[in-house]
Coordinates of all heavy atoms in Angstrom, one line a residue:
M1 N 72.3 86.9 32.4 CA 72.9 85.6 32.7 C 73.4 85.4 34.1 O 73.1 84.5 34.8 CB 73.9 85.2 31.7 CG 74.5 83.9 31.9 SD 75.7 83.5 30.6 CE 75.0 82.0 30.0
G2 N 74.1 86.5 34.6 CA 74.5 86.4 36.0 C 73.4 86.4 37.0 O 73.5 85.7 38.0
L3 N 72.4 87.1 36.7 CA 71.2 87.1 37.6 C 70.5 85.7 37.7 O 70.1 85.2 38.7 CB 70.2 88.1 37.1 CG 69.0 88.3 38.0 CD1 69.4 88.8 39.4 CD2 68.0 89.3 37.4
T4 N 70.5 85.0 36.5 CA 69.9 83.7 36.5 C 70.7 82.7 37.3 O 70.2 81.9 38.1 CB 69.8 83.1 35.0 OG1 69.0 84.1 34.3 CG2 69.2 81.8 35.0
F5 N 72.1 82.7 37.2 CA 72.9 81.8 38.0 C 72.9 82.3 39.4 O 73.0 81.4 40.3 CB 74.3 81.8 37.4 CG 74.4 81.0 36.2 CD1 74.8 81.6 34.9 CD2 74.0 79.7 36.1 CE1 74.8 80.9 33.8 CE2 74.1 78.9 34.9 CZ 74.4 79.6 33.7
G6 N 72.7 83.5 39.7 CA 72.6 84.0 41.1 C 71.3 83.4 41.7 O 71.3 83.0 42.9
A7 N 70.2 83.5 40.9 CA 68.9 82.9 41.4 C 69.0 81.4 41.6 O 68.5 80.8 42.5 CB 67.8 83.3 40.4
A8 N 69.8 80.7 40.7 CA 70.0 79.3 40.8 C 70.8 79.0 42.1 O 70.5 78.0 42.8 CB 70.8 78.7 39.6
A9 N 71.8 79.8 42.5 CA 72.5 79.6 43.7 C 71.6 79.8 44.9 O 71.7 79.1 45.9 CB 73.7 80.6 43.8
V10 N 70.7 80.8 44.8 CA 69.7 81.0 45.9 C 68.8 79.8 46.0 O 68.5 79.3 47.1 CB 68.9 82.3 45.6 CG1 67.7 82.4 46.5 CG2 69.8 83.5 45.8
A11 N 68.4 79.2 44.9 CA 67.6 78.0 44.9 C 68.3 76.9 45.6 O 67.7 76.1 46.3 CB 67.1 77.7 43.5
S12 N 69.5 76.8 45.3 CA 70.4 75.7 45.9 C 70.4 75.9 47.5 O 70.2 74.9 48.2 CB 71.8 75.6 45.4 OG 72.5 74.7 46.0
V13 N 70.7 77.1 47.9 CA 70.7 77.4 49.3 C 69.3 77.2 49.9 O 69.2 76.6 51.0 CB 71.3 78.8 49.6 CG1 71.1 79.2 51.0 CG2 72.7 78.9 49.1
Y14 N 68.4 77.6 49.2 CA 67.0 77.5 49.7 C 66.6 76.0 49.9 O 65.9 75.6 50.9 CB 66.0 78.2 48.8 CG 64.6 78.2 49.3 CD1 64.2 78.9 50.4 CD2 63.6 77.4 48.7 CE1 62.9 78.9 50.9 CE2 62.3 77.3 49.2 CZ 61.9 78.1 50.3 OH 60.7 78.1 50.8
G15 N 67.0 75.2 49.0 CA 66.8 73.7 49.1 C 67.4 73.2 50.4 O 66.8 72.4 51.1
G16 N 68.6 73.7 50.7 CA 69.2 73.2 51.9 C 68.5 73.8 53.2 O 68.3 73.1 54.2
I17 N 68.0 75.0 53.1 CA 67.3 75.6 54.2 C 66.0 74.9 54.5 O 65.6 74.6 55.6 CB 67.1 77.1 53.9 CG1 68.4 77.9 54.1 CG2 66.1 77.7 55.0 CD1 68.3 79.3 53.6
V18 N 65.3 74.5 53.3 CA 64.0 73.9 53.5 C 64.2 72.5 54.2 O 63.5 72.1 55.1 CB 63.3 73.6 52.1 CG1 62.2 72.7 52.2 CG2 62.8 75.0 51.6
V19 N 65.3 71.8 53.8 CA 65.6 70.5 54.5 C 65.9 70.7 55.9 O 65.4 70.0 56.8 CB 66.8 69.8 53.8 CG1 67.2 68.6 54.6 CG2 66.3 69.3 52.4
L20 N 66.6 71.8 56.3 CA 66.9 72.0 57.7 C 65.7 72.4 58.5 O 65.5 72.0 59.6 CB 68.0 73.1 57.8 CG 69.4 72.7 57.3 CD1 70.3 73.9 57.3 CD2 69.9 71.6 58.1
R21 N 64.8 73.3 57.9 CA 63.6 73.7 58.5 C 62.6 72.6 58.7 O 61.8 72.7 59.6 CB 63.0 74.9 57.8 CG 63.9 76.1 57.7 CD 64.0 76.7 59.0 NE 62.9 77.5 59.4 CZ 62.7 78.0 60.6 NH1 63.5 77.8 61.5 NH2 61.6 78.7 60.8
L22 N 62.7 71.6 57.9 CA 61.8 70.5 58.0 C 62.2 69.5 59.1 O 61.6 68.5 59.4 CB 61.6 69.7 56.7 CG 60.8 70.4 55.6 CD1 60.9 69.6 54.4 CD2 59.4 70.6 56.0
G23 N 63.3 69.9 59.8 CA 63.8 69.0 60.9 C 64.7 68.0 60.4 O 64.9 67.0 61.2
A24 N 65.3 68.1 59.2 CA 66.2 67.0 58.8 C 67.6 67.5 58.9 O 68.4 67.2 58.0 CB 65.8 66.7 57.3
A25 N 67.9 68.2 60.0 CA 69.3 68.6 60.2 C 70.1 67.3 60.6 O 69.6 66.2 60.8 CB 69.3 69.6 61.3
R26 N 71.4 67.5 60.8 CA 72.2 66.3 61.0 C 71.8 65.5 62.2 O 71.8 64.3 62.1 CB 73.7 66.8 61.2 CG 74.3 67.2 59.9 CD 75.7 67.7 60.1 NE 76.3 68.1 58.9 CZ 77.4 68.7 58.8 NH1 78.2 69.0 59.8 NH2 77.9 69.1 57.6
T27 N 71.5 66.1 63.3 CA 71.1 65.3 64.5 C 69.8 64.6 64.3 O 69.6 63.5 64.7 CB 71.1 66.2 65.7 OG1 70.2 67.3 65.5 CG2 72.5 66.7 66.1
T28 N 68.9 65.3 63.6 CA 67.6 64.7 63.4 C 67.7 63.6 62.4 O 67.1 62.5 62.5 CB 66.6 65.7 62.9 OG1 66.5 66.8 63.8 CG2 65.2 65.1 62.7
Q29 N 68.5 63.8 61.3 CA 68.8 62.7 60.4 C 69.4 61.5 61.1 O 69.1 60.3 60.7 CB 69.7 63.2 59.2 CG 68.9 64.0 58.2 CD 69.8 64.4 57.0 OE1 71.0 64.3 57.1 NE2 69.1 64.8 56.0
A30 N 70.3 61.8 62.0 CA 70.9 60.6 62.8 C 69.8 59.8 63.5 O 69.8 58.6 63.5 CB 71.9 61.2 63.7
S31 N 68.8 60.5 64.1 CA 67.8 59.7 64.7 C 66.9 59.0 63.7 O 66.3 58.0 64.0 CB 67.0 60.7 65.6 OG 66.3 61.7 64.9
M32 N 66.7 59.6 62.5 CA 66.0 59.0 61.5 C 66.7 57.7 61.0 O 66.0 56.7 60.7 CB 65.8 59.9 60.2 CG 64.9 61.0 60.4 SD 64.9 62.3 59.1 CE 64.9 61.4 57.7
V33 N 68.0 57.7 61.0 CA 68.7 56.6 60.6 C 68.6 55.4 61.7 O 68.5 54.3 61.3 CB 70.3 56.9 60.5 CG1 71.1 55.7 60.4 CG2 70.4 57.8 59.3
S34 N 68.5 55.8 62.9 CA 68.3 54.8 64.0 C 66.9 54.1 63.8 O 66.8 52.9 64.1 CB 68.3 55.5 65.3 OG 69.6 56.0 65.6
A35 N 65.9 54.8 63.3 CA 64.6 54.2 63.1 C 64.4 53.5 61.8 O 63.5 52.7 61.6 CB 63.5 55.3 63.2
A36 N 65.3 53.8 60.8 CA 65.1 53.3 59.5 C 66.5 52.7 59.0 O 67.4 52.7 59.7 CB 64.7 54.4 58.5
A37 N 66.5 52.2 57.8 CA 67.7 51.7 57.3 C 68.6 52.8 56.8 O 68.3 53.5 55.8 CB 67.4 50.7 56.1
G38 N 69.6 53.2 57.6 CA 70.4 54.4 57.2 C 71.2 54.3 55.9 O 71.3 55.2 55.2
L39 N 71.6 53.1 55.6 CA 72.3 53.0 54.3 C 71.4 53.1 53.1 O 71.7 53.6 52.1 CB 73.0 51.6 54.2 CG 74.2 51.4 55.1 CD1 74.8 50.0 55.0 CD2 75.3 52.4 54.8
G40 N 70.1 52.7 53.3 CA 69.1 52.9 52.3 C 68.8 54.4 52.1 O 68.7 54.9 50.9
L41 N 68.7 55.2 53.2 CA 68.5 56.6 53.1 C 69.7 57.3 52.5 O 69.5 58.2 51.7 CB 68.2 57.1 54.5 CG 67.9 58.6 54.6 CD1 66.6 59.0 53.9 CD2 67.7 59.0 56.1
L42 N 70.9 56.9 52.8 CA 72.1 57.4 52.3 C 72.2 57.1 50.8 O 72.6 58.0 50.0 CB 73.3 56.9 53.0 CG 74.6 57.6 52.7 CD1 74.5 59.0 53.2 CD2 75.7 56.9 53.5
A43 N 71.7 55.9 50.4 CA 71.7 55.6 48.9 C 70.8 56.4 48.1 O 71.0 56.8 47.0 CB 71.4 54.1 48.8
I44 N 69.6 56.8 48.7 CA 68.6 57.6 48.1 C 69.2 59.0 47.9 O 69.1 59.6 46.8 CB 67.3 57.7 48.9 CG1 66.6 56.3 48.8 CG2 66.4 58.8 48.4 CD1 65.5 56.2 49.8
I45 N 69.8 59.5 48.9 CA 70.4 60.9 48.8 C 71.5 60.9 47.8 O 71.7 61.8 47.0 CB 70.9 61.4 50.2 CG1 69.7 61.6 51.2 CG2 71.8 62.6 50.1 CD1 70.1 61.9 52.6
C46 N 72.3 59.8 47.8 CA 73.4 59.7 46.8 C 72.9 59.7 45.4 O 73.4 60.3 44.5 CB 74.2 58.4 47.2 SG 75.6 58.2 46.1
A47 N 71.8 58.9 45.2 CA 71.2 58.8 43.9 C 70.7 60.2 43.4 O 70.9 60.6 42.2 CB 70.1 57.8 43.9
I48 N 70.1 60.9 44.3 CA 69.6 62.3 44.0 C 70.8 63.2 43.6 O 70.7 63.9 42.6 CB 68.8 62.9 45.1 CG1 67.5 62.1 45.3 CG2 68.5 64.4 44.9 CD1 66.8 62.5 46.6
M49 N 71.8 63.1 44.3 CA 73.1 63.9 44.0 C 73.7 63.5 42.7 O 74.1 64.4 41.9 CB 74.1 63.8 45.2 CG 73.7 64.3 46.5 SD 74.9 63.9 47.7 CE 75.6 65.5 48.1
I50 N 73.7 62.2 42.4 CA 74.3 61.8 41.1 C 73.5 62.2 40.0 O 74.0 62.8 39.0 CB 74.5 60.2 41.2 CG1 75.6 59.8 42.1 CG2 74.8 59.7 39.7 CD1 75.7 58.3 42.3
V51 N 72.2 62.1 40.0 CA 71.3 62.5 39.0 C 71.3 64.0 38.7 O 71.5 64.5 37.6 CB 69.9 62.0 39.2 CG1 68.9 62.6 38.2 CG2 69.8 60.5 39.1
A52 N 71.3 64.7 39.8 CA 71.4 66.2 39.7 C 72.7 66.7 39.2 O 72.8 67.6 38.4 CB 71.0 66.8 41.1
S53 N 73.8 66.0 39.6 CA 75.1 66.4 39.2 C 75.3 66.0 37.7 O 75.9 66.8 36.9 CB 76.2 65.7 40.0 OG 76.1 66.1 41.3
A54 N 74.7 64.9 37.3 CA 74.8 64.5 35.9 C 74.0 65.5 35.0 O 74.4 65.8 33.9 CB 74.3 63.1 35.7
A55 N 72.9 66.0 35.5 CA 72.1 66.9 34.8 C 72.8 68.2 34.6 O 72.5 69.0 33.6 CB 70.7 67.2 35.5
L56 N 73.7 68.6 35.5 CA 74.5 69.8 35.3 C 75.4 69.8 34.1 O 75.7 70.8 33.5 CB 75.5 69.9 36.6 CG 74.8 70.5 37.8 CD1 75.9 70.5 39.0 CD2 74.3 71.9 37.7
L57 N 75.7 68.6 33.6 CA 76.5 68.5 32.4 C 75.8 69.0 31.2 O 76.4 69.5 30.2 CB 76.9 67.0 32.2 CG 77.9 66.4 33.2 CD1 78.1 64.9 32.9 CD2 79.2 67.1 33.3
G58 N 74.5 68.9 31.2 CA 73.7 69.4 30.0 C 73.1 70.8 30.3 O 72.4 71.3 29.4
L59 N 73.5 71.4 31.4 CA 72.9 72.7 31.6 C 73.5 73.8 30.7 O 74.7 73.9 30.5 CB 73.3 73.1 33.1 CG 72.7 74.4 33.6 CD1 71.2 74.3 33.7 CD2 73.3 74.7 35.0
D60 N 72.6 74.5 30.1 CA 73.0 75.6 29.2 C 71.9 76.7 29.3 O 70.9 76.6 30.0 CB 73.4 75.2 27.8 CG 72.2 74.6 27.1 OD1 71.0 74.7 27.6 OD2 72.4 74.0 26.0
A61 N 72.1 77.8 28.5 CA 71.2 78.9 28.6 C 69.8 78.6 28.0 O 68.9 79.4 28.3 CB 71.8 80.1 27.8
S62 N 69.7 77.5 27.3 CA 68.3 77.2 26.7 C 67.4 76.5 27.8 O 66.2 76.4 27.5 CB 68.5 76.3 25.5 OG 69.0 75.0 25.9
W63 N 67.9 76.2 28.9 CA 67.0 75.5 29.9 C 66.0 76.6 30.5 O 66.4 77.7 30.7 CB 67.9 75.0 31.1 CG 68.5 73.7 30.9 CD1 69.1 73.2 29.7 CD2 68.6 72.7 31.8 NE1 69.6 72.0 30.0 CE2 69.3 71.6 31.3 CE3 68.2 72.5 33.2 CZ2 69.6 70.4 31.9 CZ3 68.5 71.4 33.8 CH2 69.2 70.4 33.2
P64 N 64.8 76.1 30.7 CA 63.9 77.1 31.3 C 64.3 77.3 32.8 O 64.8 76.5 33.4 CB 62.5 76.3 31.2 CG 62.8 75.0 30.8 CD 64.2 74.9 30.3
K65 N 64.1 78.5 33.2 CA 64.5 79.0 34.6 C 63.9 78.1 35.6 O 64.7 77.7 36.5 CB 64.2 80.4 34.8 CG 65.0 81.3 34.0 CD 64.7 82.8 34.4 CE 65.5 83.7 33.5 NZ 65.2 85.1 33.7
P66 N 62.6 77.7 35.6 CA 62.1 76.8 36.6 C 62.9 75.5 36.7 O 63.1 74.9 37.8 CB 60.6 76.6 36.3 CG 60.3 77.8 35.5 CD 61.5 78.1 34.7
A67 N 63.3 74.9 35.6 CA 64.0 73.7 35.6 C 65.4 73.9 36.3 O 65.9 73.0 37.0 CB 64.2 73.2 34.2
V68 N 66.1 75.0 36.0 CA 67.3 75.3 36.6 C 67.2 75.4 38.1 O 67.9 74.8 38.9 CB 67.9 76.6 36.0 CG1 69.2 77.0 36.7 CG2 68.2 76.4 34.5
Y69 N 66.1 76.1 38.5 CA 65.9 76.3 39.9 C 65.6 75.0 40.6 O 66.1 74.7 41.7 CB 64.8 77.3 40.2 CG 65.0 78.7 39.6 CD1 64.0 79.5 39.2 CD2 66.3 79.1 39.4 CE1 64.2 80.7 38.7 CE2 66.6 80.4 38.9 CZ 65.5 81.2 38.5 OH 65.7 82.4 38.0
C70 N 64.8 74.1 40.0 CA 64.5 72.8 40.5 C 65.8 71.9 40.6 O 66.0 71.3 41.7 CB 63.5 72.1 39.7 SG 61.8 72.7 39.9
L71 N 66.6 72.0 39.6 CA 67.9 71.3 39.7 C 68.7 71.7 40.9 O 69.2 70.9 41.6 CB 68.6 71.5 38.3 CG 70.0 70.9 38.3 CD1 70.0 69.3 38.4 CD2 70.7 71.3 37.0
F72 N 68.9 73.0 41.0 CA 69.7 73.5 42.1 C 69.1 73.3 43.5 O 69.8 73.1 44.5 CB 70.2 75.0 41.9 CG 71.3 75.1 40.9 CD1 71.1 75.2 39.5 CD2 72.6 75.0 41.3 CE1 72.2 75.3 38.6 CE2 73.7 75.0 40.5 CZ 73.4 75.2 39.1
F73 N 67.8 73.4 43.5 CA 67.1 73.0 44.7 C 67.4 71.6 45.1 O 67.6 71.3 46.3 CB 65.6 73.2 44.6 CG 64.8 73.0 45.8 CD1 64.6 74.0 46.7 CD2 64.2 71.7 46.1 CE1 63.8 73.8 47.8 CE2 63.5 71.5 47.2 CZ 63.3 72.5 48.1
A74 N 67.3 70.7 44.2 CA 67.6 69.2 44.5 C 69.0 69.1 44.9 O 69.3 68.3 45.9 CB 67.4 68.4 43.2
L75 N 70.0 69.8 44.3 CA 71.4 69.8 44.8 C 71.5 70.3 46.2 O 72.3 69.6 47.0 CB 72.3 70.5 43.9 CG 72.6 69.9 42.5 CD1 73.3 70.9 41.5 CD2 73.5 68.7 42.7
G76 N 70.9 71.4 46.5 CA 71.0 71.9 47.8 C 70.4 71.0 48.9 O 70.9 70.8 50.0
A77 N 69.2 70.5 48.5 CA 68.5 69.7 49.5 C 69.2 68.3 49.7 O 69.2 67.8 50.9 CB 67.0 69.4 49.0
S78 N 69.8 67.8 48.7 CA 70.5 66.5 48.9 C 71.9 66.7 49.5 O 72.4 65.8 50.1 CB 70.6 65.7 47.6 OG 71.3 66.5 46.6
G79 N 72.4 67.9 49.4 CA 73.8 68.1 49.8 C 73.9 68.4 51.3 O 74.9 68.4 51.9
V80 N 72.7 68.8 51.9 CA 72.7 69.2 53.3 C 72.4 67.9 54.2 O 71.4 67.2 53.9 CB 71.6 70.2 53.6 CG1 71.5 70.5 55.1 CG2 72.0 71.5 52.9
G81 N 73.3 67.6 55.1 CA 73.0 66.6 56.1 C 73.4 65.2 55.8 O 73.3 64.3 56.7
W82 N 73.9 64.9 54.6 CA 74.4 63.5 54.4 C 75.4 63.1 55.3 O 75.6 62.0 55.7 CB 74.8 63.4 52.9 CG 76.1 64.1 52.6 CD1 76.1 65.4 52.1 CD2 77.4 63.7 52.8 NE1 77.5 65.8 52.0 CE2 78.3 64.8 52.4 CE3 78.0 62.6 53.4 CZ2 79.7 64.7 52.6 CZ3 79.4 62.5 53.4 CH2 80.2 63.6 53.1
N83 N 76.2 64.1 55.8 CA 77.3 63.9 56.7 C 76.8 63.3 58.0 O 77.4 62.4 58.6 CB 78.0 65.2 56.9 CG 79.4 65.0 57.4 OD1 79.8 63.9 57.8 ND2 80.2 66.1 57.5
G84 N 75.7 63.7 58.5 CA 75.1 63.2 59.7 C 74.7 61.8 59.6 O 74.8 60.9 60.5
I85 N 74.2 61.4 58.4 CA 73.8 60.0 58.2 C 75.0 59.1 58.2 O 75.0 58.0 58.7 CB 73.0 59.9 56.8 CG1 71.6 60.7 57.0 CG2 72.7 58.5 56.5 CD1 70.9 60.8 55.7
V86 N 76.1 59.6 57.6 CA 77.3 58.8 57.5 C 77.8 58.6 59.0 O 78.2 57.5 59.4 CB 78.4 59.5 56.7 CG1 79.7 58.8 56.8 CG2 78.0 59.4 55.2
H87 N 77.8 59.7 59.8 CA 78.2 59.5 61.2 C 77.4 58.6 62.0 O 77.9 57.8 62.7 CB 78.2 60.9 61.8 CG 79.4 61.7 61.6 ND1 79.6 62.5 60.4 CD2 80.5 61.9 62.3 CE1 80.8 63.1 60.5 NE2 81.3 62.8 61.6
A88 N 76.1 58.7 61.8 CA 75.1 57.8 62.5 C 75.3 56.3 62.1 O 75.3 55.4 63.0 CB 73.7 58.2 62.3
E89 N 75.5 56.1 60.8 CA 75.7 54.7 60.4 C 77.1 54.2 60.9 O 77.1 53.0 61.3 CB 75.7 54.6 58.9 CG 74.3 54.4 58.3 CD 73.7 53.1 58.8 OE1 74.2 52.0 58.4 OE2 72.8 53.2 59.5
C90 N 78.1 55.0 60.8 CA 79.4 54.5 61.3 C 79.4 54.2 62.8 O 79.9 53.2 63.3 CB 80.5 55.6 61.0 SG 80.9 55.6 59.3
A91 N 78.7 55.1 63.6 CA 78.5 54.9 65.0 C 77.7 53.6 65.3 O 78.0 52.8 66.2 CB 77.9 56.1 65.7
R92 N 76.6 53.4 64.5 CA 75.7 52.3 64.7 C 76.5 51.0 64.4 O 76.3 50.0 65.1 CB 74.5 52.4 63.8 CG 73.5 51.3 64.1 CD 72.3 51.5 63.2 NE 72.6 51.2 61.8 CZ 72.7 50.0 61.2 NH1 72.5 48.9 61.9 NH2 72.9 49.9 59.9
L93 N 77.3 51.0 63.4 CA 78.0 49.7 63.0 C 79.3 49.4 63.8 O 79.8 48.3 63.7 CB 78.3 49.8 61.5 CG 77.1 49.8 60.6 CD1 77.5 50.1 59.1 CD2 76.3 48.6 60.7
S94 N 79.8 50.4 64.5 CA 81.1 50.2 65.2 C 80.8 49.5 66.6 O 79.7 49.6 67.1 CB 81.8 51.5 65.4 OG 81.1 52.3 66.3
P95 N 81.8 48.8 67.0 CA 81.6 48.2 68.4 C 81.5 49.3 69.4 O 82.0 50.5 69.3 CB 83.0 47.5 68.6 CG 83.5 47.3 67.2 CD 83.0 48.4 66.4
S96 N 80.7 49.0 70.5 CA 80.4 50.1 71.5 C 81.6 50.7 72.2 O 81.6 51.8 72.5 CB 79.4 49.5 72.5 OG 80.0 48.5 73.2
R97 N 82.7 50.0 72.2 CA 83.9 50.5 72.9 C 84.7 51.4 72.0 O 85.6 52.1 72.4 CB 84.8 49.3 73.3 CG 84.1 48.5 74.4 CD 84.9 47.3 74.7 NE 86.2 47.7 75.3 CZ 87.3 46.9 75.4 NH1 87.2 45.6 75.0 NH2 88.4 47.3 76.0
T98 N 84.4 51.5 70.7 CA 85.1 52.3 69.8 C 84.3 53.3 69.0 O 84.7 53.9 68.0 CB 85.8 51.4 68.7 OG1 84.9 50.7 68.0 CG2 86.8 50.4 69.4
I99 N 83.1 53.6 69.6 CA 82.3 54.6 68.9 C 82.9 56.0 68.8 O 82.9 56.6 67.7 CB 80.9 54.8 69.6 CG1 80.1 53.5 69.4 CG2 80.1 55.9 69.1 CD1 78.8 53.4 70.1
S100 N 83.6 56.4 69.8 CA 84.3 57.8 69.8 C 85.4 57.8 68.8 O 85.6 58.8 68.0 CB 84.7 58.2 71.2 OG 85.7 57.3 71.6
L101 N 86.2 56.7 68.7 CA 87.2 56.6 67.7 C 86.7 56.6 66.3 O 87.2 57.3 65.4 CB 88.1 55.4 68.0 CG 88.9 55.3 69.2 CD1 89.5 54.0 69.4 CD2 89.9 56.4 69.2
T102 N 85.6 55.9 66.1 CA 85.0 55.8 64.8 C 84.4 57.1 64.4 O 84.5 57.6 63.2 CB 83.8 54.7 64.8 OG1 84.4 53.5 65.2 CG2 83.2 54.6 63.5
A103 N 83.8 57.8 65.3 CA 83.2 59.2 65.1 C 84.3 60.1 64.7 O 84.2 60.9 63.7 CB 82.4 59.7 66.3
G104 N 85.4 60.1 65.4 CA 86.6 61.0 65.1 C 87.2 60.7 63.7 O 87.5 61.6 62.9
A105 N 87.3 59.4 63.4 CA 87.8 59.0 62.1 C 86.9 59.4 61.0 O 87.3 59.8 59.9 CB 88.1 57.5 62.0
T106 N 85.6 59.3 61.2 CA 84.5 59.6 60.2 C 84.6 61.1 60.0 O 84.6 61.6 58.9 CB 83.2 59.2 60.7 OG1 83.2 57.8 60.9 CG2 82.1 59.5 59.6
S107 N 84.7 61.9 61.0 CA 84.8 63.4 60.9 C 86.0 63.8 60.1 O 85.9 64.6 59.2 CB 84.8 64.0 62.3 OG 83.6 63.9 62.9
F108 N 87.1 63.1 60.5 CA 88.4 63.4 59.8 C 88.3 63.2 58.3 O 88.6 64.0 57.4 CB 89.5 62.7 60.4 CG 90.8 62.9 59.6 CD1 91.6 64.0 59.8 CD2 91.3 61.9 58.7 CE1 92.8 64.2 59.1 CE2 92.5 62.1 58.0 CZ 93.2 63.2 58.2
S109 N 87.8 61.9 57.9 CA 87.7 61.5 56.5 C 86.6 62.4 55.7 O 86.9 62.7 54.6 CB 87.4 60.0 56.4 OG 86.2 59.7 56.9
C110 N 85.6 62.7 56.4 CA 84.5 63.6 55.7 C 85.0 64.9 55.4 O 84.7 65.6 54.4 CB 83.3 63.6 56.5 SG 82.3 62.1 56.4
S111 N 85.8 65.5 56.4 CA 86.3 66.9 56.3 C 87.6 67.0 55.5 O 87.9 68.1 55.0 CB 86.5 67.4 57.7 OG 85.3 67.4 58.4
A112 N 88.3 65.9 55.4 CA 89.6 66.0 54.7 C 89.5 66.1 53.2 O 90.3 66.7 52.5 CB 90.5 64.8 55.0
G113 N 88.4 65.5 52.6 CA 88.3 65.4 51.2 C 87.4 66.5 50.7 O 87.4 66.9 49.6

């Protein structure tokens, strides 16, 4: 059982690594937000996180291992980089004279919780 959950943790980390290796790191996601609707992209990531987190409630030993790995892969992939999208959207929506203040407040609020 411990080995299965260890492999699931590896799948979660691997999901995050795949997202990063595909160029979707925070700075790249910020540029993606500039080209697309950032709030829409953030809503998609949020939906993936909600569905995957809700699926965790039903997780038990009877689940097939590939399903567990896919679930944790989705959690890892959606959990990496959302912070960059939030920063990009806050900077885009703030007045040009207050972008640095907005960025600092966003960093504080994202890291405080």
